[in-house]
Amino acid sequence: MTISFSISSACVGKKGPGKKSIGAVRLIGEGKDDDFLVISDGNNTKSYDAMSPRRGIKRYYSDLYYHIEIDDLRPDQVYSYECLLLKKDEKTYLREDRTTLEISGDHTSVIARSDISAFTTPPAPGQWHSSGRTITFAVLGDLAAKEHSKKTIQHLDRHSESVDAILFAGDLAYPSKDHDNWDKWMDMMSKRDFFSAIPTQIALGNHDLDTYKGGWIYDIDESVEIALAYEHRFQMPQIRPPIRDLASLKGFTTDGQPRDFVPYEYGNAYYSFTFGPSKHIVLSSFSSFREGSLQYEWLLSELKSVDRSVTPWLIVMLHCPLYTTFKTHRHEIFVTEAQATLEPLFVEYTVNFVIAGHVHAYMRTYPVAFSRRNPRGPVHIIQGNGGKAVCEPYHNETAEEWVAVRDQSQYGYGTLELFNSTHAMWKLIKTGHDEGGEFEPNLNLLDEIWVRNQLYVEEMSVNKDWEDNV
């Protein structure tokens, strides 16, 4: 578990963290040994500066971000916590990586403290049946910080008591090279209680790459840094530290869409985690996943290592969809090569759900393998209607045979509830539509369906020559 929080650069100085302060998290659990303090280390304390077009020649200085990793938490337990900024002094406090609790409200070591929040740890893998509860994920993507974005997260906040974790399929803030837009997005999210109470896992979107150069004048032959804010503001469960090389501006369109894979490996780009009965693999659509690449070899190793008797549900999340019924983005290499390279792996290892965004619309497929309905194939979901826009024309007037539900006009998010090893429920949550929009909304649209774990469906041929419809 990682708890992240930030302190304004005005508090620590524009040159980064001061030598006289340090970040910490105090946790309070139910057991007698569950009241402890975890101190940040220098490796997980980050800040950055950049040029933003709106600021002219003035530099942007980010907050100081503390990403504090906490191990050995008890499963299926509520922990209260507060974030602290401490003054360094001669006292050590440390007992291995945890400190003795010698901090009171008026102690001179406390410079600042947050409100007290709380989170619940997931059940232990393989033991979740004894917990007597289901596991629910909220799924959203392509949010931004617009009016419909606020309506989506407001709805999620009101119904967040039943949500255990959030899966965010990329394109968070749409910064457009202006890092103040990242701050606006973070402020919007921080106003909602769920953002400090529910674990959130993110996938890399093309707008999260946010190409950045040290100056404010761009030349097409120049190289730029990528994912600067994305790597500093968040910390996902890392395989190893990120490798981010400079990328040529020639590799991007004028609106920031990459034309080919970018030099970005590990870090927040791709990773995996386990949450109760589910194994999650988060991929980068924009780091190479061609055979032999670092991401491909890592993915193959992850798929081979999954123990489905412990985590019967296998969920993949990435930004660009493998299947789409919409016109836009369908010919990008991040879509076409994913179908050619990733789909055979997803089918072979019986992935249950493939969650994506990128397309500003909603779609759910039937279980599908190699463009044919097949009960052993994954269910593919596009949840790109978080709030940025809903404006995507269909590729064909008649939906493809593998499309179960599609919608081009309404904002929202989805929920995936795991009931046991064999059954889950998917539900579309609608949060609004554009008045006078390009497409007339289908206000009667509903999408709520039981999904049987494909792992337990009768074995069928799923090779590319399979012709029978299911």
Side-chain angles (χ1 to χ4, degrees):
M1 173 72 71
T2 298
I3 294 179
S4 298
F5 65 96
S6 66
I7 299 293
S8 170
S9 59
C11 297
V12 296
K14 293 183 178 180
K15 295 183 179 180
K19 294 182 179 180
K20 296 183 178 180
S21 64
I22 190 168
V25 170
R26 178 191 178 190
L27 280 94
I28 307 167
E30 297 174 352
K32 64 179 181 179
D33 296 325
D34 290 338
D35 193 343
F36 55 86
L37 200 70
V38 182
I39 300 292
S40 65
D41 61 45
N43 295 328
N44 293 329
T45 304
K46 303 177 181 179
S47 64
Y48 69 94
D49 59 277
M51 298 299 299
S52 286
R54 189 171 65 82
R55 291 172 173 260
I57 62 173
K58 294 183 179 179
R59 296 193 71 81
Y60 167 89
Y61 292 89
S62 78
D63 285 356
L64 176 63
Y65 292 94
Y66 294 97
H67 305 291
I68 299 180
E69 297 183 16
I70 305 167
D71 300 321
D72 302 323
L73 297 178
R74 300 175 189 271
D76 205 18
Q77 179 173 320
V78 177
Y79 284 88
S80 298
Y81 74 94
E82 62 178 339
C83 303
L84 303 168
L85 185 65
L86 304 180
K87 179 182 178 181
K88 287 184 181 178
D89 52 30
E90 296 179 358
K91 295 182 179 179
T92 306
Y93 289 120
L94 292 181
R95 185 183 68 237
E96 295 180 351
D97 65 327
R98 296 176 176 179
T99 70
T100 55
L101 273 177
E102 299 181 21
I103 294 179
S104 61
D106 56 354
H107 197 286
T108 55
S109 289
V110 179
I111 301 173
R113 66 199 320 152
S114 70
D115 294 335
I116 294 178
S117 300
F119 63 87
T120 303
T121 55
Q127 300 178 15
W128 73 296
H129 293 294
S130 61
S131 68
R133 66 181 179 95
T134 62
I135 298 294
T136 301
F137 301 100
V139 178
L140 69 161
D142 300 80
L143 188 60
K146 304 178 74 173
E147 285 307 307
H148 280 290
S149 316
K150 296 173 184 177
K151 291 179 180 179
T152 295
I153 64 168
Q154 182 181 40
H155 189 285
L156 176 56
D157 195 40
R158 289 200 307 263
H159 298 84
S160 61
E161 288 185 3
S162 61
V163 175
D164 296 286
I166 296 171
L167 307 179
F168 205 129
D171 276 2
L172 284 70
Y174 290 84
S176 300
K177 302 182 180 70
D178 187 344
H179 291 268
D180 290 289
N181 289 331
W182 273 109
D183 290 339
K184 292 176 182 177
W185 187 86
M186 300 292 284
D187 290 343
M188 177 187 74
M189 298 296 287
S190 297
K191 290 177 182 177
R192 300 298 173 183
D193 292 339
F194 75 82
F195 203 52
S196 60
I198 302 176
T200 301
Q201 307 295 148
I202 58 177
L204 176 69
N206 52 298
H207 290 280
D208 304 318
L209 286 169
D210 196 34
T211 53
Y212 158 74
K213 178 183 174 294
W216 65 96
I217 300 175
Y218 283 70
D219 185 279
I220 193 63
D221 292 322
E222 289 183 295
S223 295
V224 292
E225 189 169 3
I226 53 178
L228 181 65
Y230 185 77
E231 273 295 332
H232 283 76
R233 293 173 183 259
F234 308 99
Q235 182 159 306
M236 297 296 106
Q238 294 188 353
I239 311 162
R240 52 177 289 186
I243 300 173
R244 292 183 301 124
D245 295 331
L246 294 176
S248 171
L249 269 180
K250 292 180 179 179
F252 294 84
T253 63
T254 54
D255 63 353
Q257 172 70 22
R259 305 178 196 273
D260 203 342
F261 297 117
V262 299
Y264 181 17
E265 308 287 345
Y266 305 118
N268 293 336
Y270 49 90
Y271 58 92
S272 68
F273 65 97
T274 299
F275 200 97
S278 52
K279 172 73 173 185
H280 298 253
I281 297 176
V282 181
L283 299 177
S284 167
S285 291
F286 309 104
S287 307
S288 177
F289 46 75
R290 292 171 177 140
E291 290 191 35
S293 66
L294 290 175
Q295 184 173 203
Y296 180 90
E297 294 301 323
W298 169 81
L299 169 62
L300 187 59
S301 176
E302 283 291 300
L303 290 170
K304 289 179 178 179
S305 68
V306 178
D307 184 349
R308 301 299 282 272
S309 67
V310 177
T311 51
W313 295 96
L314 179 55
I315 300 168
V316 170
M317 181 169 66
L318 72 175
H319 186 58
C320 297
L322 278 68
Y323 283 85
T324 177
T325 187
F326 303 96
K327 278 187 178 181
T328 55
H329 300 306
R330 61 188 301 111
H331 298 301
E332 295 172 358
I333 65 166
F334 317 110
V335 174
T336 58
E337 293 204 19
Q339 276 196 321
T341 305
L342 300 181
E343 185 176 22
L345 296 180
F346 295 167
V347 172
E348 179 182 355
Y349 290 95
T350 322
V351 170
N352 299 113
F353 295 92
V354 179
I355 295 168
H358 198 39
V359 182
H360 296 159
Y362 171 75
M363 184 197 74
R364 175 180 60 82
T365 72
Y366 296 103
V368 60
F370 308 115
S371 299
R372 294 289 186 270
R373 288 173 58 178
N374 191 300
R376 293 276 294 181
V379 173
H380 292 257
I381 294 168
I382 295 176
Q383 194 75 63
N385 57 347
K388 170 61 176 177
V390 280
C391 55
E392 306 290 359
Y394 296 129
H395 180 59
N396 294 308
E397 184 176 344
T398 302
E400 295 82 351
E401 66 161 23
W402 35 262
V403 174
V405 179
R406 64 180 187 174
D407 181 76
Q408 60 187 168
S409 62
Q410 297 176 89
Y411 296 93
Y413 63 97
T415 59
L416 175 62
E417 186 172 6
L418 308 181
F419 281 81
N420 50 42
S421 298
T422 60
H423 286 82
M425 175 171 283
W426 171 261
K427 184 185 299 184
L428 169 66
I429 310 296
K430 297 181 296 183
T431 60
H433 62 275
D434 290 323
E435 296 293 340
E438 182 178 356
F439 304 109
E440 186 70 23
N442 178 8
L443 301 180
N444 295 320
L445 175 69
L446 296 174
D447 190 17
E448 182 175 332
I449 186 172
W450 284 98
V451 178
R452 185 180 178 188
N453 191 330
Q454 297 92 318
L455 193 66
Y456 303 106
V457 173
E458 183 180 355
E459 188 73 48
M460 300 185 68
S461 171
V462 288
N463 60 58
K464 295 182 180 181
D465 297 324
W466 187 76
E467 296 291 344
D468 294 329
N469 293 339
V470 178

